[in-house]
Amino acid sequence: MKKLPLTVGVLLLALLGMFVTAVVPSGWAYAMCAAVGYLAEPVVVKRVTSGMQPLPRVGLSVASGSVLRGSSALVLLARAGEGGSGAFVLVALGFLAMQALRVAYGGLLLYVWWCRRLPAVTRNVDLSVLRIPDAPPRRLMDLYRGPIAFIDLPLVAGAAVAVEAGARWAAGGAAAAVLAGVVAVVLLAVPAWRSRHLAAKGRVLDAVREQVRASEPEVVVYFSGDLHSAYQLNGWLPVLDRTKRRVVIVLREREMLPRLDPTTRPVVCLPLGKDLAAFELPSARVALFAANAANNTHLLRMPQFRSVYIGHGDSDKPTSFNPFTKVYDEVWVAGPAGRERYARSGVGVADTDVVEVGRPSLWPVAATTVAAPQPTVLYAPTWEGFHGDEGAATSLITMGPALVRTLLARQPSIRLLYRPHPLTGTLDRRAKAAHAEILALIEAANGGATEDDARLERMAARLDAVRHAGRGDEAQTARDAARPAADWEAVLAEWQDAYWADGTRHRVTAGSRPGLYDCFNHADVLIADVSGVVTDFLAADKPYAVANPAGLDADVFRERYPAAAAGHLIGPDLAGLDELLDRAGGAPDPLAHERGRLRARLLGPVEADPLAPFERALDALLRRAAG
């Protein structure tokens, strides 16, 4: 964006220069100004229209410099003494025809976009009945680099040459410009014709609904939220893939689909509330909600569903006892501590509506650490959040860089895994700055990038290609993603093996590559803020520390945040860090017994399969819903 004012200035000067040199007149100077304008305009228009809806974006492109350039060409010809010639009339008519063709192209582009913008975008749903054609080439749909972008170039070039060589060059240029516009319109008309049946949105929605109905889903997992919050649903996908019940995942934001991890379950995105209301699934009787969002009310008002809030982590933060939660029929928590949390908060959730289901996603967590040349510390701070609880605030701002600097100073005796929260820096620029400082510290400690890092990037690109099955626009991707990516797990496992092969390099981890629980398995100790990360880490039965960024009294802190009861505390001055690092080196941990007791309280009784309590609760609710 820093280059935008300069580029705008260059474009304005170039267009002004075209009119000045047209008045002079000077064909060569005019041509030079036109060349600068042609180079600057795509950059300006694309950046200015970034994030705009298609209609204003197309409108700005149609009404962009082409009109001014064409007008300046007419001025140039008139000043060159060709104003009364037949060639001038042909150029003027060509100019008008060229603008009409640009409008026609913009209209076709909007039509193609509208046809291919499905009312229900899917994954793992057979859309063959819709006969979705391949997406048009991206260059054809690009107003800034496509065939329509510079159709006025022959006209402008002909006018520049005409100053010295005669008006016939301008007439020829106008004819070439019109021909180029006709070809561009015809090229886009072909995909417009092939996609025309997708303009019947009602029929498209009916076809998608019938395909989903055919799978007879019993459970709807509903998710809506900010695009950065995709991790909240991604954490549940392995659980949903393992459950024996038939599940369909319903999203509300179409931009969320590319951020979703691969799953075997049908996924349907319904952006419009009216389409959601019309998307009836008679076999489904239970709706699970992984987050609180305003759009949740669109499904909550449907009486056929028993609604359940399953959340996206069990912690002592205020988000785990949000008053909004009382709108659901049931609230599922991990263990007795979750039940006590709601009772203590007084937010209106009845104890009879709280069900303990454990943490069904914890089966990948091992109680042993993957062998590494030196002890590994996992630092996983939370984000700045909305709740305003100073005790549960992120440690990133007050102590994050100092903590990381201290840990890195101990190399090679310590390896650091840094896992920031996905929303880090979205509310507070200080958190963003601290995060950037930590990244720089880790990069410097690693000594810069290596060939292995480049190889990992290439493997990651392959992973993304598998993850986002299909190419082209969202309609083609939905068509091609009718089945789960068969080789996702194998490619992911290959990437993870390569990622962890070097046990000495410090790592910055995020998202599903590698996952949080994979980081647990490679860490000897954890340093985290008050969050669900601490609760889940109890399943690993390893020493951990909770950051106390506000410097609260230790007894007050542990009473307010029960998950810290079996952990070490690290104050803003990093007091307590040395004691934790001694545990990482293998020193006896006096809190080991307390961790076992706390685990049962926070996560529920230990079962061979962590999914079992969740399955029992789901079975029981489905029986009640059927009755």
Side-chain angles (χ1 to χ4, degrees), residues 61 76 116 213 261 296 318 381 455 471 570 618:
S61 177
L76 178 64
R116 301 186 64 85
R213 276 185 179 181
D261 285 345
N296 288 10
R455 184 166 66 93
R471 297 179 179 180
I570 298 179
L618 193 55

Side-chain angles (χ1 to χ4, degrees), residues 217-220 245 281-288 302-308 329-330 332 616-627:
E218 302 168 284
V219 179
V220 169
R245 292 296 184 172
L281 299 172
S283 58
R285 285 289 180 265
V286 168
L288 307 181
M302 299 183 185
Q304 68 268 33
F305 290 107
R306 293 288 185 95
S307 59
V308 179
D329 295 318
E330 293 187 2
W332 290 3
R616 290 195 295 268
L618 193 55
D619 290 345
L621 185 58
L622 283 167
R623 285 194 298 270
R624 292 196 297 274

